[in-house]
Amino acid sequence: MISILGKSNIAQRATNEDRFVADSNWGIALVADGMGGPAAGEIAASIVANQVTDLLDQGTPLAAAVYSAHQEVLRAVEDGRGKIGMGSTVVVAHFSGHHFELAWIGDSRAYLWNGELRQISRDHSQVEAMMSRGEISYSEATSHPNKNIITRAIGHGKFNEHDIPLIKGALFHGEKLLLCSDGLYDAVAACDIARVMNSAISSEQQLDQLLAIALANNGADNITAVLVDSDVIPQENEIIPTLPLVAIARIDGFTEHFTA
């Protein structure tokens, strides 16, 4: 079985433009970070969370559900249900048992904890592109003035269903899947996230600690995290999917980033 929990904090913003879904019965873990300001970002993020959840519940494939949310946000702007320029990121895992598919748009992230923190989603962002071109280092990216500029978002630009990254994985006992908005990882260093994940406390307490550290570090943006854990023991002949590795962080302070 898997267990999915989520928490969010408004932090220093006037409104919370983040939305999350944490439903163990549906097997859905989702974080959407809205943009476009008050009365816009939260609308876009809500559309994404509702649309993706509803379509997955109806059996729609994950990438198709995410693309449909993109189209729905565009329609909402045309219909006057939001503001021009509104949009959202999304990172979503859909579980069938302990196996999952993961998709994302923007810079909300997915991490796998298995004794070290492994970033498995690659941001659609300006600094990620700069790192891939060798223009800046990983350490420079964490403090770059353009680190929050994303290059793809739900409700923005032209992309199709096949442009949505989609990976498959499995979650076993001792491992956890963490989905979060940039409000968390911008305020909490990856090694500090790893230390919290390594602590012998419950998933709910880990979420509380992550949000508390972000707030103590003067995290300004909305902070949202969803945590999935599993009690499944791998079978002897079970084929375990290999997940991509974007970056790695350990409790001893070691970090490394791998370019595309």
Side-chain angles (χ1 to χ4, degrees):
M1 286 184 61
I2 61 163
S3 174
I4 309 177
L5 297 171
K7 289 181 182 282
S8 187
N9 192 290
I10 194 172
Q12 299 179 35
R13 298 286 190 177
T15 58
N16 195 338
E17 296 181 71
D18 286 358
R19 296 292 184 269
F20 74 86
V21 179
D23 196 297
S24 302
N25 293 324
W26 286 344
I28 299 174
L30 179 150
V31 171
D33 181 355
M35 57 191 188
E42 65 265 33
I43 292 175
S46 294
I47 289 172
V48 170
N50 294 334
Q51 183 86 350
V52 172
T53 300
D54 289 347
L55 290 175
L56 290 178
D57 189 44
Q58 295 168 24
T60 303
L62 180 55
V66 171
Y67 184 63
S68 178
H70 171 62
Q71 294 176 304
E72 185 62 21
V73 171
L74 292 173
R75 280 193 293 268
V77 173
E78 294 176 355
D79 297 344
R81 288 179 281 147
K83 294 181 179 179
I84 294 174
M86 76 175 187
S88 179
T89 70
V90 67
V91 58
V92 52
H94 188 210
F95 281 82
S96 177
H98 64 289
H99 288 265
F100 65 87
E101 286 189 322
L102 178 79
W104 68 93
I105 291 289
D107 64 352
S108 290
R109 287 184 183 170
Y111 295 93
L112 177 71
W113 168 257
N114 62 354
E116 54 192 15
L117 190 71
R118 303 166 71 90
Q119 183 184 335
I120 59 175
S121 63
R122 189 175 297 276
D123 298 346
H124 294 120
S125 71
Q126 189 174 105
V127 294
E128 183 66 48
M130 292 171 71
M131 283 190 288
S132 294
R133 294 192 297 265
E135 297 173 3
I136 59 173
S137 67
Y138 177 65
S139 60
E140 289 172 328
T142 60
S143 58
H144 196 278
N146 294 337
K147 67 179 182 178
N148 292 323
I149 297 178
I150 60 176
T151 55
R152 182 172 293 172
I154 299 291
H156 282 260
K158 293 182 179 180
F159 62 89
N160 59 45
E161 182 180 327
H162 301 291
D163 295 322
I164 297 169
L166 186 68
I167 60 177
K168 296 182 179 182
L171 197 65
F172 297 101
H173 178 69
E175 298 180 332
K176 298 193 178 189
L177 185 69
L178 172 67
L179 310 184
C180 64
S181 62
D182 63 346
L184 178 68
Y185 66 76
D186 276 351
V188 185
C191 289
D192 290 330
I193 296 176
R195 293 182 185 108
V196 172
M197 301 297 288
N198 190 56
S199 59
I201 56 177
S202 70
S203 291
E204 184 171 13
Q205 291 171 318
Q206 288 177 341
L207 286 171
D208 288 336
Q209 279 200 8
L210 289 172
L211 268 62
I213 294 170
L215 291 169
N217 289 344
N218 294 315
D221 201 358
N222 306 145
I223 308 159
T224 302
V226 173
L227 194 55
V228 189
D229 62 0
S230 170
D231 63 2
V232 175
I233 305 298
Q235 300 299 308
E236 183 176 348
N237 297 321
E238 184 168 0
I239 297 174
I240 301 174
T242 300
L243 292 168
L245 182 57
V246 177
I248 191 169
R250 299 174 183 156
I251 61 174
D252 63 2
F254 174 85
T255 60
E256 187 173 3
H257 178 269
F258 305 92
T259 57

